[in-house]
Amino acid sequence: MSSLSLKSPRVRIAAATAALAVGAGLYTAGAASADHSVPRSDKEIPNLTQVEEKIKAYYGDTVDAKGQHYASPRSNYAKQVADIEKKAKAQLEKAVRNHKGKAKPAIVLDVDDTTLLTYNYELQQGFHFTPESQDAYLKSTDMAPVFGMPQLVNWAQSKGITVFFVTGRDEHQRDWSVRNLKNAGYKPAADTEHFFLKNKKNPPAYLPCGATCTTVEYKSGTRKHIESKGYDIVANFGDQYSDLQGGYADHTYKLPNPMYYLP
């Protein structure tokens, strides 16, 4: 998720250019990464329009009668996500069968592009994030769920796995986010005990970095806090590597996202 509120346009452009530069292999891996090397000529720089067209093709861009863009459930993106979810479910089934000890099994999920798909928002903004446009969108519009994720998450809850959402979205976006998760079909309660948003004004005491946390510090510190409450995080899901780094999870699952990169 990753957190849209942390996305820099400069990093987003770097991710897009890196995506085309490394070719189809990046889309297979589902990784977006920033390339910090300095091009020696214009021939080393991918055309941004072509990058956007490749992204649209990967998501199976579909336009409705109102001119809104959506990803297709028959897209290569959807197929890649389904394969990841299949592997995750198999691992979670084993975790349920074999879990022992006092710690309760749990999973942690990012929000943006892990549980909710930002594709429509990205297209509306021309892949150019601003806090103001994000607030306006989240306040009035529900993002579609990432294909198959509500089914996987609801199944995990039915097997006795506690579900936590950990996002870089700001605390003031809580009500909009809770509404969207519910409307997208997620049954686990996204209440204050199970839904963590970034709070720079009043950071929690369990985060030593306070209001200056990096994504990795914030996410891993929150997972550490969850485990301190008697849970064993058997799986952690995110669309950015920074969602997954820092420990406090038995397994990690990287969802594909070629649209932006968060360090």
Side-chain angles (χ1 to χ4, degrees):
M1 111 139 162
S2 55
S3 60
L4 284 170
S5 55
L6 300 177
K7 293 167 188 167
S8 161
R10 182 174 299 176
V11 174
R12 292 154 67 82
I13 292 173
T17 55
L20 191 57
V22 299
L26 178 141
Y27 296 103
T28 301
S33 59
D35 183 358
H36 299 292
S37 62
V38 178
R40 292 168 294 181
S41 76
D42 64 305
K43 295 181 177 63
E44 298 179 9
I45 305 173
N47 183 282
L48 286 179
T49 300
Q50 292 178 339
V51 172
E52 291 185 7
E53 290 305 315
K54 283 183 176 288
I55 290 173
K56 290 179 182 179
Y58 169 64
Y59 281 94
D61 186 59
T62 303
V63 184
D64 67 12
K66 297 181 180 179
Q68 297 297 309
H69 290 258
Y70 295 95
S72 169
R74 295 178 295 277
S75 64
N76 287 337
Y77 165 76
K79 293 175 183 176
Q80 188 176 356
V81 168
D83 184 59
I84 295 168
E85 291 167 346
K86 181 179 179 181
K87 294 175 182 177
K89 186 175 182 180
Q91 179 262 313
L92 290 174
E93 287 176 332
K94 291 181 180 179
V96 170
R97 289 196 304 268
N98 302 330
H99 199 273
K100 299 178 181 179
K102 296 181 179 179
K104 297 167 286 187
I107 58 173
V108 168
L109 303 109
D110 173 54
V111 173
D112 292 308
D113 294 298
T114 300
T115 50
L116 300 177
L117 187 57
T118 70
Y119 182 74
N120 178 259
Y121 165 80
E122 294 286 348
L123 265 291
Q124 280 194 21
Q125 302 305 315
F127 299 99
H128 181 77
F129 166 82
T130 66
E132 294 77 16
S133 68
Q134 187 197 37
D135 274 357
Y137 190 95
L138 297 180
K139 185 177 182 179
S140 63
T141 309
D142 281 338
M143 292 179 175
V146 170
F147 299 115
M149 285 303 288
Q151 292 83 352
L152 177 63
V153 172
N154 296 344
W155 171 86
Q157 184 188 46
S158 74
K159 297 298 180 179
I161 299 174
T162 303
V163 177
F164 292 92
F165 300 95
V166 180
T167 178
R169 289 186 182 187
D170 191 76
E171 177 63 34
H172 80 276
Q173 299 171 322
R174 177 181 292 275
D175 289 345
W176 307 330
S177 302
V178 170
R179 179 207 70 218
N180 197 161
L181 288 168
K182 181 179 179 181
N183 291 344
Y186 292 96
K187 293 181 180 180
D191 53 23
T192 54
E193 183 181 348
H194 298 91
F195 190 17
F196 296 85
L197 296 89
K198 214 166 190 185
N199 192 334
K200 290 186 177 181
K201 292 183 178 179
N202 297 291
Y206 58 78
L207 291 177
C209 47
T212 65
C213 289
T214 64
T215 302
V216 174
E217 290 172 334
Y218 161 64
K219 296 261 179 155
S220 63
T222 304
R223 293 195 301 273
K224 180 180 179 180
H225 170 69
I226 291 170
E227 290 204 334
S228 74
K229 297 171 72 68
Y231 292 95
D232 171 25
I233 298 173
V234 295
N236 178 28
F237 297 80
D239 66 290
Q240 301 290 316
Y241 290 110
S242 53
D243 294 330
L244 308 175
Q245 295 167 345
Y248 303 102
D250 298 341
H251 297 271
T252 60
Y253 293 94
K254 169 72 171 61
L255 277 293
N257 182 1
M259 294 187 290
Y260 53 84
Y261 167 80
L262 286 174

